[in-house]
């Protein structure tokens, strides 16, 4: 009863916070928008521009899924989440999927009851040091003060690394990446450690990036990927195969430039099945035949999205590294579309 | 007589000496400087040290402000313009000005709506703050919350009208029954208001059309300093009456009311605000029935108001306790009943004593509204920490942004503090 009162008198428009229901796909279609959880802002991965449009590497995944399911890459309600609120937002059904550079770990997958549908970025923890320190390897950091974000896996990895190598360090606990950047520049720590992608972005923002080097050691595995709730495998499949379609398209050479031509039909049966000119893959997902075509038309294939948001021509300037296709020595390996 | 001394004294002055200007060391600026800055070797030393520090600070800050760049579109561009010279990249403020004030999701074509609401806020607050103004202006103050809600959120105008109607109905019920008993009037008014809202809710849902005069803007799109202002204004103005009620309840002779108030105040004061905000944001979603939509801003407003009321209640209790017992007895001896005694004799004095404390809570509360940034709401600080610092253009700008935030908050808080000092002087009818 009171609910209606607040409806009528106070609460005007709100975001539907429906509790986890089995058929997320139906909910999304009925609502007409995809509720996608992203970060409150991480350079290159998700941030609104000066016009308020979300862009970034994680955002591209949300848009691709929205295009595949709803046919409109802009039919996404981006719901910003912090490291503390992201899992409750997903579990309570406030968001349909979470694409928030979240590390795939055992306990998050099993204990928190989420389903990681794949990996869109292979990250790892690294160190940045001032060039004048004269250090070329993380193993030479004996006795160094290291800025590290508290309460993260980063902190634990750091302790492990120094223990294994039997050298000492002094941690300087910080709260956010922005604070870490400032502390490091102010000289309160000799080295700053966080995910390598974050280090690259941090370094790119410095006034004199050349004065700082990122050490070659990567001391942890941080596979980042989108995730959905347990209990709705059909929806999980849609997100998983949309991501796979982006990755596979790069492998097969499908780009935003040639997709119209290739979707007319090609000699390669796998491309035909992917783009819907042959087979019934879309139908099996509960979508139409052109789902992957629409997802790819938003921002191109994985490689194009990577280059545009975090690649070497952007200020962040990340090399493909582990995130190259398996055919080029990386780890990206989409299962066959068959 | 005139030549009495002519032979004994060489010179006799016969006219008065014209007044000479005082010695330069003893007048004007020099005297002030000598007395205040160089009155002894210790003070001289301190003065010189201070001048040195001020000089150092000025050489650091002034070029930074004066060389500031105001019209580039990214940090790297700004650094190109500066060419290594010290200077602030204030262009982040011009580039993201609207985002800092309104958040990044509020539709830009509607910026005039919150701006208008902001201007009207002064008009509405004036008769409350300055009681020399004509009392008729209070009518506008009463209407303001509904106008502001409609301006900022938009949507059907029926919703704020219904809310207003509920209060009007409640008021008339109160007037009707208060003569018989205050409690009857009070609770009758609450029941009547809720009944109006409940019934009206159905009517509004049925009648309201899709295309409204002002397009509806969802709560999630609110942000920037506007969000701080909304939360600060609403919570301060709501927590004052609630705080008074709680303070009176805590002093009540009726055990149930007394214990409810004591438990509420002590519980809320014993819990950090940030915990309450997390409850509002994440935990409530688990408790509410499926499909319930309960506005996030509303949840946050409720939590902050609860928090502030508990503090204000304690401040006012201090004011009540400071009144001499004779005042209560004087009220009784005049034959006033409890509401009359409180309204006419006790509270005016108690509130006057409590002003510094209340202002303290209000200023603290206003600054605490920035805490909502940790529950992923984009208030001013949330906008800076999140979207702006995370954009490829502006990653790495700290001083300019946070100085701006500090400046905005300083202006508001200093304004509140100055007002309260004026109010204390104005009400100084006391026993000094």
């Amino acid at each position: 009863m009171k609910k209606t009162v607040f409806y009528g008198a106070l609460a005007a428009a709100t975001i539907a916070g429906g509790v986890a229901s089995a058929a997320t796909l139906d909910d999304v279609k009925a609502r007409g928008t995809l509720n996608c959880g992203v970060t409150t802002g991480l350079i290159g991965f998700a941030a609104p521009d000066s016009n308020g449009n979300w862009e970034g590497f994680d955002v591209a995944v949300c848009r691709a899924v929205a295009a595949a399911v709803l046919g409109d890459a802009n039919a996404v309600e981006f719901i910003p989440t912090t490291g503390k609120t992201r899992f409750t937002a997903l579990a309570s059904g406030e968001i349909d999927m979470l694409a928030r550079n979240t590390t795939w770990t055992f306990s998050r997958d099993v204990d928190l009851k989420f389903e990681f549908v794949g990996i869109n970025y292979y990250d790892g923890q690294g160190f940045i040091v001032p060039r004048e320190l004269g250090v070329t390897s993380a193993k030479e950091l004996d006795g160094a003060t290291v800025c590290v974000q508290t309460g993260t896996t980063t902190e634990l990895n750091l302790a492990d690394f120094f223990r294994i190598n039997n050298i000492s360090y002094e941690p300087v606990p910080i709260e956010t990446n922005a604070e870490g950047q400032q502390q490091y520049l102010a000289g309160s720590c000799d080295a700053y450690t966080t995910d390598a992608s974050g280090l690259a972005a941090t370094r790119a923002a410095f006034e004199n990036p050349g004065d700082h080097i990122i050490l070659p050691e990567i001391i942890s595995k941080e596979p980042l990927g989108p995730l959905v709730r347990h209990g709705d495998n059909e929806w999980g499949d849609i997100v998983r195969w949309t991501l796979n379609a982006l990755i596979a398209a790069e492998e097969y050479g499908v780009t935003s430039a040639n997709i119209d031509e290739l979707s007319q039909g090609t000699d390669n049966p796998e491309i035909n099945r992917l783009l819907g000119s042959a087979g019934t893959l879309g139908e099996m997902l509960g979508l139409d035949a052109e789902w992957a075509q629409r997802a790819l038309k938003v921002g191109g294939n994985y490689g194009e999205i990577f280059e545009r948001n975090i690649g070497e021509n952007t200020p962040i300037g990340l090399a493909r590294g582990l995130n190259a296709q398996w055919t080029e020595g990386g780890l990206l390996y989409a299962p066959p579309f068959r | 007589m005139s030549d009495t001394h002519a032979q004994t004294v060489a010179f006799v002055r016969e006219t008065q000496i014209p007044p000479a200007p005082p010695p330069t060391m003893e007048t004007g600026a020099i005297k002030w400087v000598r007395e205040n800055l160089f009155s002894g070797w210790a003070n001289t030393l301190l003065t010189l040290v201070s001048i040195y520090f001020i000089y150092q600070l000025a050489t650091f800050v002034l070029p930074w402000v004066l060389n500031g760049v105001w019209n580039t579109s990214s940090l790297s561009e700004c650094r190109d313009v500066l060419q290594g010279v010290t200077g602030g990249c204030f262009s982040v403020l011009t580039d993201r000005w609207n985002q800092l004030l309104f958040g990044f999701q509020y539709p830009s074509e509607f910026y005039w709506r919150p701006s208008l609401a902001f201007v009207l806020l002064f008009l509405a607050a004036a008769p409350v703050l300055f009681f020399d103004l004509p009392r008729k202006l209070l009518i506008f103050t009463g209407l303001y919350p509904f106008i502001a809600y409609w301006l900022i959120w938009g949507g059907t105008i029926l919703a704020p009208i219904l809310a207003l109607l509920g209060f009007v109905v409640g008021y008339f019920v109160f007037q009707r029954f208060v003569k018989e008993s205050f409690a009857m009037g009070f609770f009758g008014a609450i029941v009547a208001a809720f009944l109006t809202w409940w019934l009206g809710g159905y009517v509004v849902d049925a009648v309201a059309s899709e295309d409204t005069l002002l397009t509806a803007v969802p709560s999630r799109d609110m942000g920037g300093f506007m969000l701080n202002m909304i939360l600060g204004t609403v919570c301060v103005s709501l927590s004052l009456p609630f705080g008074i009620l709680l303070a009176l309840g805590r002093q009540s002779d009726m055990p149930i009311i007394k214990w409810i108030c004591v438990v509420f105040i002590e519980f809320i004061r014993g819990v950090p605000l940030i915990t309450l905000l997390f409850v509002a944001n994440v935990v409530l979603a688990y408790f509410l029935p499926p499909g319930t939509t309960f506005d996030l801003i509303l949840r946050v407003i409720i939590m902050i108001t609860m928090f502030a009321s508990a503090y204000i209640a304690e401040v006012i209790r201090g004011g009540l306790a400071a009144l001499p017992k004779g005042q209560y007895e004087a009220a009784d001896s005049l034959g006033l009943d409890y509401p009359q005694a409180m309204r006419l004799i006790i509270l005016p004095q108690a509130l006057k004593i409590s002003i510094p404390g209340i202002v303290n809570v209000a200023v603290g509360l206003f600054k605490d509204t920035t805490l909502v940034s940790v529950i992923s709401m984009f208030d001013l600080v949330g906008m800076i920490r999140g979207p702006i610092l995370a954009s490829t253009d502006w990653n790495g700008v700290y001083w300019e942004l946070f100085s701006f935030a500090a400046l905005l908050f300083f202006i508001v808080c200093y304004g509140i503090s100055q007002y309260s000092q004026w109010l204390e002087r104005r009400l100084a009818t006391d026993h000094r």
Side-chain angles (χ1 to χ4, degrees), chain A residues 109-166:
Chain A
D109 196 334
V110 177
D111 192 31
L112 294 181
K113 299 208 175 352
F114 295 126
E115 190 176 343
F116 283 82
V117 298
I119 294 167
N120 67 340
Y121 191 86
Y122 289 90
D123 215 336
Q125 188 178 340
F127 296 92
I128 189 170
V129 293
R131 190 176 288 280
E132 60 190 29
L133 204 63
V135 173
T136 53
S137 157
K139 290 177 182 158
E140 298 168 22
L141 285 172
D142 194 10
T145 50
V146 183
C147 281
V148 58
Q149 286 186 43
T150 53
T152 58
T153 49
T154 323
E155 199 180 16
L156 307 173
N157 297 333
L158 181 70
D160 289 352
F161 174 78
F162 277 83
R163 192 180 318 112
I164 291 167
N165 288 291
N166 205 16

Side-chain angles (χ1 to χ4, degrees), chain A residues 173-253:
Chain A
I174 50 146
E175 184 64 31
T176 64
N177 186 45
E179 191 193 333
Q181 249 167 288
Q182 273 307 84
Q183 295 281 12
Y184 170 73
L185 278 183
S188 25
C189 43
D190 300 325
Y192 174 44
T193 180
T194 186
D195 288 351
S197 62
L199 286 183
T202 301
R203 181 170 173 269
F206 287 168
E207 200 154 359
N208 303 307
D211 294 352
H212 304 270
I213 51 172
I214 294 176
L215 298 178
E217 279 88 354
I218 295 293
I219 65 168
S220 74
K221 293 184 287 186
E222 308 281 347
L224 311 179
L227 54 155
V228 297
R229 275 183 300 278
H230 262 192
D232 186 357
N233 296 21
E234 285 75 16
W235 176 250
D237 285 343
I238 290 173
V239 182
R240 173 179 298 115
W241 285 95
T242 307
L243 177 62
N244 283 336
L246 298 179
I247 296 172
E250 188 190 15
E251 187 185 340
Y252 303 146

Side-chain angles (χ1 to χ4, degrees), chain B residues 128-131 351-352 355 359 416-428:
Chain B
V128 182
L129 300 183
F130 304 100
F131 22 76
L351 287 179
K352 193 183 81 185
I355 288 173
V359 169
I416 297 176
S417 142
Q418 284 301 304
Y419 167 73
S420 85
Q421 290 187 12
W422 174 85
L423 188 63
E424 278 173 52
R425 283 195 302 274
R426 178 70 213 286
L427 295 178

Side-chain angles (χ1 to χ4, degrees), chain A residues 1 5 7-8 10 12-15 40-43 48-50 52 54 80 82 85 88 91 94 178 181-182 205-207, chain B residues 79 96 99 104 149 159 197-198 218-220 278 281-282 286 292-293 295 298 374 376 378 386-387 390-392 395 398-399:
Chain A
M1 295 298 148
V5 173
Y7 251 79
L10 299 160
T14 49
I15 301 301
T40 51
L42 179 67
I43 177 166
D49 65 7
S50 51
W54 284 90
T82 66
T85 62
T88 32
E94 191 186 356
Q181 249 167 288
Q182 273 307 84
F206 287 168
E207 200 154 359
Chain B
R79 283 177 179 158
R96 297 295 176 105
Q99 292 196 353
F104 68 95
Y149 170 82
W197 287 328
W198 176 52
S219 280
R220 198 171 274 285
F278 272 123
N281 184 29
V282 294
Y286 284 115
T292 312
T293 55
D295 196 273
L298 187 61
V374 298
S376 58
F378 292 101
S391 64
T392 359
N395 182 283
Y398 300 97
W399 284 96

Side-chain angles (χ1 to χ4, degrees), chain B residues 29-190:
Chain B
I30 295 179
K31 181 187 181 204
W32 185 88
V33 167
R34 201 168 60 82
E35 282 186 354
N36 290 290
L37 299 181
F38 300 101
S39 61
W41 67 268
N43 286 349
T44 308
L45 191 68
L46 282 177
T47 304
L48 291 178
V49 171
S50 313
I51 289 177
Y52 175 73
F53 275 111
I54 292 172
Y55 171 75
Q56 286 291 317
L57 201 64
T59 50
F60 178 73
V61 172
L62 280 183
W64 185 71
V65 174
L66 297 177
N67 280 340
V69 178
W70 290 89
N71 49 12
T72 53
S73 63
S74 77
L75 183 60
S76 47
E77 211 176 290
C78 168
R79 283 177 179 158
D80 284 346
V81 172
L82 283 171
Q83 296 286 358
V85 181
T86 313
C89 286
F90 298 107
S91 31
V92 66
L93 302 180
T94 47
D95 189 45
R96 297 295 176 105
W97 176 256
N98 286 330
Q99 292 196 353
L100 286 167
L101 292 191
F102 301 104
F104 68 95
Q105 282 165 310
Y106 203 88
S108 52
E109 63 270 28
F110 299 143
Y111 282 157
W112 63 271
R113 281 161 43 180
S115 311
L116 180 64
F118 179 67
V119 173
L120 290 179
L121 171 66
F122 289 99
L123 211 58
V128 182
L129 300 183
F130 304 100
F131 22 76
D132 301 329
L133 294 172
R135 294 293 81 189
K136 283 208 171 128
L137 284 176
L138 279 174
I139 298 173
F140 178 71
T141 309
L143 294 177
Y144 176 75
F146 309 102
I147 297 174
Y149 170 82
W150 187 56
L151 277 174
I152 295 175
W153 272 268
T156 171
I157 196 173
L158 293 175
I161 288 180
L162 173 68
L164 177 61
L165 196 69
F167 284 106
V168 172
V169 169
Y171 176 75
F172 279 114
V173 172
F174 179 78
Q175 286 292 315
R176 166 75 182 75
F177 288 107
V178 74
K179 292 192 187 72
E180 292 162 41
S181 133
F182 179 79
M184 199 171 155
F186 184 72
F187 291 109
I190 291 178

